[in-house]
Amino acid sequence: MFTDFLSYMVLFNFIIPVSMYVTVEMQKFLGSYFITWDKDMYDDHLGEGALVNTSDLNEELGQIEYVFTDKTGTLTENNMEFIECCIDGFKYKHVGVELSVVDGLSSTDGPHRRICGMAGKEKEELFFRALCLCHTVQIKVEDKVDGLVKQQGTQCTYISSSPDEVALVQGAKTLGFTFQGMKKNLMKVQNRDEEVEMYELLQILSFDPVRRRMSVIVKDHSGRIFLFCKGADSSVFPRVNAGKQEEIKLHVEHCAVDGLRTLCVAYKELTQNEYDQISAQLHAAQMALKDRDEKLAEAYDDIENGLHLIGATAVEDKLQDQAAETIEALHSAGMNVWVLTGDKMETAKATCFACRLFHTNMKLLELTTKNIETYRARGAEKIHELLLELHKVVVQDKRCSSASLLRSWSVTQEYGLIIDGAALSLILKPTQDGGTSNYKNLLLQICQRCTAVLCCRMAPLQKAQIVKLVKNTKEHPITLAIGDGANDVSMVLEAHVGIGLKGKEGRQAARNSDYAIPKFKHLRKLLLTHGHLYYIRISHLVQYFFYKNLCFILPQFLYQFFCGFSQQPLYDATYLTLYNISFTSLPILLYGLLEQHINIEILKKDPSLYRNIANNALLQWKPFLYWTILGLFNGLVFFFGAYFLYDNTSLFSGNGQVYGNWTFGTIVFTVLVFTVNFKLVLDTRYWTWANHFVIWGSLAFFVLFSFFWGGIIWPFLQQQRMHFVFAQMLTSISAWLAIILLIVVSLVPDIVVKLLSRPVGRRQLQCVRYAVPELLAFRYTTDSSLIEVKNLKN
């Protein structure tokens, strides 16, 4: 009995499509090259195209529900331009080569000449020196002469890991203070009088996304020691105790509303004893063998206190080309777009309006520290109240509007949510009982019912927490994160699909991502075209493999009832081996690489087609049952059709030889090979020479191989059971008629389904519902702009 069990396992193991794993891996690997070769995703400025780091996620590109995107460098160009500054509460705006002092002073007499504004010469020069000294910019000398010889007249280029620093140094240069480089810890600055000032760089307190600021400690030629600090307003204002804070804060808010990126500049003068203490504190933290980062952060916090506020800067970062159109297309495709940025709320909000994430008819809801700052003593309670209030507005009002929509043609109110990092920290902060699930659930319900979400003042870790929060909901949506810098790496790694932009802040995000693209606009084609097609191809490939293997093994199973359960195979061993390797493998592989149920141009123009494959539509129970029933029907037709046509053993061939069990099995196998390949012919909508070659070539190879395998007496075989069987079978007209009849009968149900699914009249492109695998079939009408699309009903 045990040997019988093992024999049946060997006989029926083909029901498990092991070869499908190899085919799927080949389809994913080879298919990834089509993304790399796509000329529409090539950027002439960078001289690079898209890059695929992980080919296993091609089909996931067609199932994205949430898109989390960075702002700076992703939606914007990350090409900063110095626009204006505020010094001691007075606004200075650069226009052309002159500085226009807006608050009460006419323009300068000439470029880089003395500027005596309302702030006073001393404050102005201190501010511009801070811009020239507080940075990590380096100078690249562009020489036409080989070697390291620096000649007069050579052009110098500022380079830095942060475009903001380059913009500020260039802005200071246009205003008369030029940074001339650093040599042996000596920083050279040329002032308005064209005098070179030397400053010794003593310490650098590097920028990090958590502190959102950086500082330098320098000593001038007279021995005075200064600490210059620049950073985000939220990280600088709490650390200053002098300066015109209200005026500068008002200027910062106005610039942020205009979409400008702002930084605050502060300083303090140190005595030699104070610096010695600071140096010792930093040295101890840097030499710590345990918790070095934490000790450095504590040291930085202690040092950057008691500052004097000088002013603020404003730089402009323009939107990338077609960024707004891309976000609109993603919304039309049914995706939820969230912007996660570390920028100020007003700046990020202005960018979201510019890129059409927010629009004027949208009601914006805020969950920020401004809403809770008056309730600091009852912060947690206020957060809970705000969440309940927003939940009532968004969730309950949306239910009411949905009900009223059934009775009227009114448009439902759209909501947008703005949340900052401090509020998110309070929401995610564990309570005394160790739970935060109530706050998280309320926040998720609010966010899921908002059309757009903006998260500002986010640390890199908080970006990853947001992605993880959405990813781990009970619906388990497929998430995508896209960013360009090192601060986006955690977010990119957390999402199901990570996209890195080849931006100006290095290639950390691109190297850690699954896919790398040059520009944000290329995300549209990556998802709406490549993702759409790859999902359709892989879903068809997987179900087709189960279908053809079911057709293959069912006649073998039925044959056991007619052979006394003797484990007698219906097919020859060679046919058993080559069925999934040679006779049916290449056609479905080429289908998985080249098939286009919908033309690429149509997919690019109509993003709403992406909705039709959402929620894994093609791999649900209904399509799978369709394939299963079709496979069972075909298997029954193959076996019983051949059995009833040849149950009369008086049928003889021309030489009087009686057809035996191997002839019967060969007839069934011949019908099987032709039927499963013709099924793929019916499914193919995009024909190329490669499809013709592999489909008809596979059938021709089967016929030629059968003649070859049965036409030679092989000396290494003990039994020549297939000798001349195939050739003898084809000498009978009855065999020809049986093969043709069984193939037609097997394909009739699929043909009928396709005919019934045709639209009645001429219509333009319609929304398609994928209820069965053959759900998308289109044909051009006499007018090339009109296309008829199959829409199969449930």
Side-chain angles (χ1 to χ4, degrees):
M1 292 297 294
F2 183 69
T3 57
D4 292 342
F5 173 74
L6 294 180
S7 299
Y8 277 117
M9 283 193 64
V10 173
L11 196 60
F12 295 136
N13 76 88
F14 296 94
I15 191 63
I16 303 173
V18 179
S19 60
M20 182 184 72
Y21 177 80
V22 179
T23 306
V24 167
E25 290 300 317
M26 291 180 63
Q27 189 265 355
K28 290 183 176 183
F29 175 72
L30 297 176
S32 63
Y33 282 97
F34 288 93
I35 298 177
T36 306
W37 294 336
D38 194 336
K39 293 182 179 180
D40 292 340
M41 301 176 69
Y42 182 84
D43 185 72
D44 294 328
H45 179 70
L46 290 176
E48 299 181 43
L51 178 65
V52 179
N53 297 325
T54 305
S55 60
D56 288 339
L57 300 176
N58 291 343
E59 68 278 5
E60 298 287 349
L61 297 174
Q63 294 295 299
I64 303 300
E65 298 180 51
Y66 285 87
V67 176
F68 301 93
T69 174
D70 181 38
K71 185 185 80 68
T72 305
T74 305
L75 296 177
T76 61
E77 290 283 357
N78 206 10
N79 186 15
M80 309 299 177
E81 180 183 357
F82 183 85
I83 300 298
E84 62 184 59
C85 62
C86 175
I87 305 174
D88 203 32
F90 298 96
K91 182 178 179 181
Y92 292 72
K93 188 169 184 179
H94 178 66
V95 180
V97 296
E98 297 184 350
L99 183 72
S100 175
V101 184
V102 178
D103 293 336
L105 189 69
S106 60
S107 61
T108 59
D109 297 332
H112 310 333
R113 293 297 99 195
R114 291 178 172 79
I115 306 172
C116 297
M118 300 296 293
K121 178 181 178 181
E122 183 180 354
K123 289 290 182 64
E124 291 173 358
E125 292 184 348
L126 184 63
F127 178 82
F128 294 132
R129 286 192 182 98
L131 295 185
C132 290
L133 296 172
C134 188
H135 57 74
T136 58
V137 173
Q138 297 180 355
I139 290 182
K140 178 182 178 182
V141 180
E142 298 180 356
D143 260 329
K144 296 183 180 179
V145 181
D146 294 337
L148 300 177
V149 180
K150 181 177 178 181
Q151 300 176 343
Q152 292 184 352
T154 57
Q155 295 183 350
C156 297
T157 303
Y158 294 125
I159 57 175
S160 175
S161 59
S162 173
D164 293 84
E165 291 191 330
V166 175
L168 295 179
V169 173
Q170 288 177 340
K173 182 179 180 180
T174 59
L175 303 178
F177 279 78
T178 305
F179 173 64
Q180 294 186 338
M182 183 173 63
K183 185 177 182 181
K184 296 181 180 179
N185 282 344
L186 291 178
M187 304 179 73
K188 294 191 295 184
V189 177
Q190 180 179 315
N191 58 27
R192 298 195 190 113
D193 298 325
E194 298 184 356
E195 297 174 351
V196 177
E197 302 175 357
M198 305 294 291
Y199 292 88
E200 181 184 358
L201 180 61
L202 301 177
Q203 297 286 348
I204 297 180
L205 280 62
S206 303
F207 174 87
D208 65 72
V210 178
R211 287 169 50 239
R212 296 193 181 96
R213 62 185 181 274
M214 75 159 293
S215 300
V216 295
I217 302 177
V218 297
K219 179 190 288 187
D220 64 7
H221 65 280
S222 63
R224 298 173 66 188
I225 301 176
F226 294 92
L227 181 145
F228 293 108
C229 177
K230 70 176 181 184
D233 59 321
S234 60
S235 63
V236 173
F237 277 122
R239 300 183 173 275
V240 299
N241 54 17
K244 298 184 178 180
Q245 299 182 35
E246 294 301 325
E247 293 85 346
I248 296 176
K249 187 175 182 179
L250 184 63
H251 173 266
V252 168
E253 292 177 352
H254 282 311
C255 291
V257 171
D258 294 335
L260 302 178
R261 293 168 57 87
T262 58
L263 287 175
C264 293
V265 181
Y267 85 103
K268 71 176 178 180
E269 187 172 353
L270 304 173
T271 64
Q272 185 63 45
N273 290 334
E274 289 175 337
Y275 171 72
D276 292 339
Q277 294 177 3
I278 289 174
S279 180
Q281 186 179 5
L282 290 175
H283 184 267
Q286 292 168 353
M287 298 302 293
L289 298 179
K290 186 178 180 180
D291 300 331
R292 180 180 302 172
D293 293 338
E294 290 78 1
K295 291 181 179 180
L296 277 174
E298 293 176 2
Y300 291 165
D301 286 338
D302 292 339
I303 296 168
E304 295 169 327
N305 267 317
L307 303 177
H308 186 99
L309 189 63
I310 316 174
T313 63
V315 296
E316 183 181 21
D317 188 12
K318 296 182 180 179
L319 277 180
Q320 284 193 19
D321 182 35
Q322 298 183 28
E325 291 81 357
T326 302
I327 288 183
E328 281 190 333
L330 297 180
H331 275 304
S332 300
M335 302 180 210
N336 300 285
V337 181
W338 293 23
V339 175
L340 312 181
T341 179
D343 285 356
K344 188 175 175 63
M345 185 186 75
E346 290 80 7
T347 304
K349 184 176 176 182
T351 303
C352 289
F353 274 106
C355 68
R356 303 175 195 169
L357 183 71
F358 294 158
H359 54 79
T360 54
N361 295 328
M362 182 181 293
K363 184 177 180 180
L364 297 181
L365 308 174
E366 293 186 7
L367 184 58
T368 63
T369 51
K370 289 185 177 180
N371 302 86
I372 61 174
E373 60 184 1
T374 56
Y375 293 85
R376 290 189 182 275
R378 300 188 297 114
E381 291 80 358
K382 182 58 180 177
I383 282 287
H384 187 66
E385 293 174 7
L386 284 174
L387 288 173
L388 289 177
E389 181 180 350
L390 295 178
H391 185 271
K392 180 180 179 181
V393 171
V394 176
V395 179
Q396 297 183 5
D397 288 1
K398 199 155 189 175
R399 290 174 182 171
C400 297
S401 63
S402 299
S404 63
L405 187 63
L406 299 175
R407 301 186 298 268
S408 66
W409 293 97
S410 60
V411 180
T412 57
Q413 175 68 55
E414 292 186 348
Y415 294 94
L417 178 66
I418 302 175
I419 182 172
D420 63 4
L424 182 66
S425 298
L426 291 175
I427 293 174
L428 300 182
K429 182 180 179 181
T431 57
Q432 294 180 354
D433 57 357
T436 61
S437 58
N438 189 29
Y439 288 175
K440 288 182 181 179
N441 292 334
L442 286 174
L443 178 63
L444 281 173
Q445 291 180 28
I446 295 169
C447 292
Q448 289 172 348
R449 285 164 176 79
C450 289
T451 307
V453 177
L454 167 63
C455 301
C456 53
R457 289 300 188 204
M458 289 284 156
L461 182 60
Q462 288 180 313
K463 293 182 179 182
Q465 288 176 334
I466 287 287
V467 177
K468 185 177 181 179
L469 194 65
V470 176
K471 187 176 72 171
N472 293 336
T473 56
K474 62 180 181 180
E475 294 85 6
H476 298 291
I478 304 299
T479 59
L480 178 146
I482 178 171
D484 70 312
N487 59 334
D488 302 317
V489 170
S490 58
M491 172 180 70
V492 168
L493 293 176
E494 184 64 42
H496 292 96
V497 180
I499 309 291
L501 256 66
K502 301 177 180 180
K504 298 180 180 180
E505 294 188 4
R507 297 296 174 90
Q508 293 94 331
R511 292 192 184 103
N512 288 276
S513 63
D514 302 308
Y515 301 87
I517 56 178
K519 297 292 183 182
F520 182 77
K521 65 180 180 181
H522 298 140
L523 183 65
R524 177 174 183 173
K525 187 171 186 183
L526 182 65
L527 298 183
L528 303 186
T529 301
H530 290 289
H532 189 118
L533 293 177
Y534 279 130
Y535 176 75
I536 291 178
R537 292 165 181 169
I538 197 68
S539 60
H540 194 285
L541 185 150
V542 170
Q543 295 181 106
Y544 177 81
F545 254 94
F546 281 101
Y547 157 77
K548 72 184 184 72
N549 278 28
L550 183 59
C551 294
F552 177 48
I553 208 64
L554 182 59
Q556 176 69 73
F557 173 76
L558 297 174
Y559 185 62
Q560 298 306 306
F561 292 93
F562 296 87
C563 68
F565 298 97
S566 60
Q567 300 97 43
Q568 168 69 28
L570 176 63
Y571 314 118
D572 181 64
T574 308
Y575 285 160
L576 287 170
T577 303
L578 296 182
Y579 176 74
N580 280 320
I581 297 177
S582 302
F583 301 150
T584 60
S585 59
L586 287 180
I588 186 59
L589 177 60
L590 264 292
Y591 179 96
L593 292 174
L594 303 176
E595 177 60 12
Q596 297 177 22
H597 274 68
I598 301 180
N599 187 271
I600 289 179
E601 295 300 322
I602 299 174
L603 289 175
K604 290 165 62 177
K605 293 178 181 178
D606 190 357
S608 62
L609 291 174
Y610 192 90
R611 295 173 179 264
N612 304 317
I613 60 171
N615 300 318
N616 205 17
L618 284 182
L619 293 175
Q620 300 291 342
W621 279 107
K622 288 184 179 180
F624 180 74
L625 289 176
Y626 174 84
W627 283 98
T628 303
I629 293 172
L630 188 62
L632 291 173
F633 173 78
N634 288 352
L636 293 172
V637 170
F638 298 159
F639 182 81
F640 287 108
Y643 177 79
F644 287 120
L645 287 173
Y646 284 89
D647 61 347
N648 188 354
T649 57
S650 63
L651 290 175
F652 296 89
S653 60
N655 58 2
Q657 182 179 356
V658 179
Y659 286 154
N661 64 313
W662 294 114
T663 304
F664 174 75
T666 303
I667 291 176
V668 174
F669 191 80
T670 302
V671 175
L672 165 68
V673 172
F674 275 83
T675 300
V676 296
N677 279 285
F678 284 159
K679 172 69 171 74
L680 204 58
V681 170
L682 294 176
D683 292 347
T684 303
R685 299 290 173 267
Y686 184 75
W687 284 94
T688 64
W689 66 267
N691 296 92
H692 285 288
F693 178 78
V694 296
I695 290 179
W696 312 123
S698 296
L699 295 177
F701 176 75
F702 163 70
V703 174
L704 294 176
F705 176 81
S706 297
F707 276 114
F708 176 73
W709 179 246
I712 298 176
I713 297 178
W714 301 98
F716 53 84
L717 294 179
Q718 295 180 357
Q719 298 178 353
Q720 306 293 330
R721 55 194 181 191
M722 290 300 294
H723 180 62
F724 219 60
V725 169
F726 189 78
Q728 187 69 27
M729 178 192 72
L730 295 183
T731 60
S732 171
I733 297 179
S734 300
W736 280 89
L737 292 176
I739 292 172
I740 295 173
L741 178 62
L742 292 179
I743 292 174
V744 172
V745 172
S746 300
L747 295 176
V748 162
D750 203 44
I751 296 174
V752 170
V753 169
K754 285 176 168 55
L755 292 175
L756 293 178
S757 64
R758 280 188 176 276
V760 177
R762 287 189 177 184
R763 292 178 296 178
Q764 291 187 352
L765 193 63
Q766 302 292 324
C767 294
V768 184
R769 297 179 62 191
Y770 291 84
V772 296
E774 301 313 313
L775 306 162
L776 277 176
F778 68 91
R779 62 183 178 86
Y780 289 97
T781 60
T782 53
D783 184 358
S784 60
S785 64
L786 295 177
I787 297 172
E788 294 184 357
V789 180
K790 276 189 185 179
N791 186 4
L792 296 183
K793 304 297 183 182
N794 285 327

